[in-house]
Amino acid sequence: MDKISSLTGMLDLISSKSDLNEYSNRIIATEDNLKDIFRNFSYSEIRTPALENSNLFKRSVGDTSDIVNKELYTFTDKNDKSISLRPEGTASVIRSIIEKKLDSETHKLWYLGPMWRYERPQKGRFRQFNQAGIEILGFKEGPPEFELISLICEINRKLCIDNPIIKINHLGDAETKKKFCDELVNFLTPIKSELGNKDLLRLETNPLRILDSKNAKTQEALAKAPSIKDFLPKNSIELLSKIKQTFSTECEIVIDYGLVRGLDYYTGFVFEAVSSELGAQDSYLGGGRYDNLSKQLGGKELPAIGMAVGIERLSLITDPKINNNVLISFIIVSSNFDPKAYKIAHNIRSINDCVDIDIQLSDASLKSKLRRANKDNASYAIIVGDDELESDSVIFKPLNEKDSEQVRISISELESYIKNL
């Protein structure tokens, strides 16, 4: 019978005790580090469904975006309703807040989970990928911008990212964007022949997105194009300057007036963090303000700003703190099954949260189980046989200390030792 393989661009992640640099472990450790940071900033977790009504993304992300036109996983369910796997997290969060009638309140939220986009898999980019996000809702422009940059600096510090750069820009309000886009269209229309096919379509549907073009000829033409800086109000430029001044000692901050984001709902302050270690696709997180999205989705006016972090891409450039709990391999070599041995393991698990107990469940030999304990990088082995069960004792064996010999100790001595590890 033929084996069934996973779908293209959808990976299995299996953690391993024996190899701390293994890819799956790095992904999981990166997620754990991000969760710690989000909780340290006192954000609350939100979880939304993987499947949503397709109209949610068409109305939020935008009909003209590549995500909706080319990358959305869309299906018709048994009731002939169009549903889609979520390609990003913000739209689902806002939909949830509106549906729960919480759009009159302030919120500081985080989420983490799988997203889906139908695109060509490449380094750190897959069709099913994991994304963490922050959404700050109900607060006007100002303090939330500083909060987010502070949080990004903490991610860079805690995950030991070398030489990160945070790019920031401001897109102004609706009037600013309209004036700038009109000028951009007037400038580019006479030289349409120098633009790529994708950018010609953007010129008709969403001219601001041309600034994000990867086409070399388009970028050459844009070098002489109007800058959004010339259309921004004074307070927007001052915000960028203050953020750069405040955090320049933490990380390199670059004001990039050509920076835009790939989703239609962004307005005002936008940003992304990049690393040269990722190659041409160098961004590992990004976001911005989206004050109009709640009303756009049928809710109340709700100022908002947020960001998303690509876990796979971030894990390529981080040195995440791996769980460094002491691992003890619990080995039962009794000739007969005796629940008493499992009760010993159960009791010592609750003594010290910095100790992990791994009960070896196989009926292999002691030699084989010790070999497995060493492979798993266990620091100690606790061995329980018939004699130990009779005398309420265990064999305690250090595995990483060459000069230390195994000793027989009582259960009470074991509990005391575990407590102090």
Side-chain angles (χ1 to χ4, degrees), residues 230-275:
D230 299 327
F231 298 83
L232 289 175
K234 183 180 178 182
N235 63 322
S236 298
I237 295 175
E238 287 178 349
L239 176 66
L240 297 175
S241 178
K242 287 178 182 177
I243 288 174
K244 180 174 181 177
Q245 290 171 10
T246 303
F247 295 102
S248 59
T249 56
E250 305 291 327
C251 174
E252 184 177 357
I253 309 284
V254 174
I255 299 175
D256 180 357
Y257 288 108
L259 175 67
V260 293
R261 299 297 302 156
L263 308 180
D264 285 0
Y265 53 64
Y266 283 116
T267 57
F269 181 73
V270 292
F271 59 90
E272 67 179 16
V274 301
S275 169

Side-chain angles (χ1 to χ4, degrees), residues 285-296:
L285 66 80
R289 184 161 282 277
Y290 53 96
D291 290 346
N292 302 324
L293 184 56
S294 178
K295 288 196 73 173
Q296 196 174 316

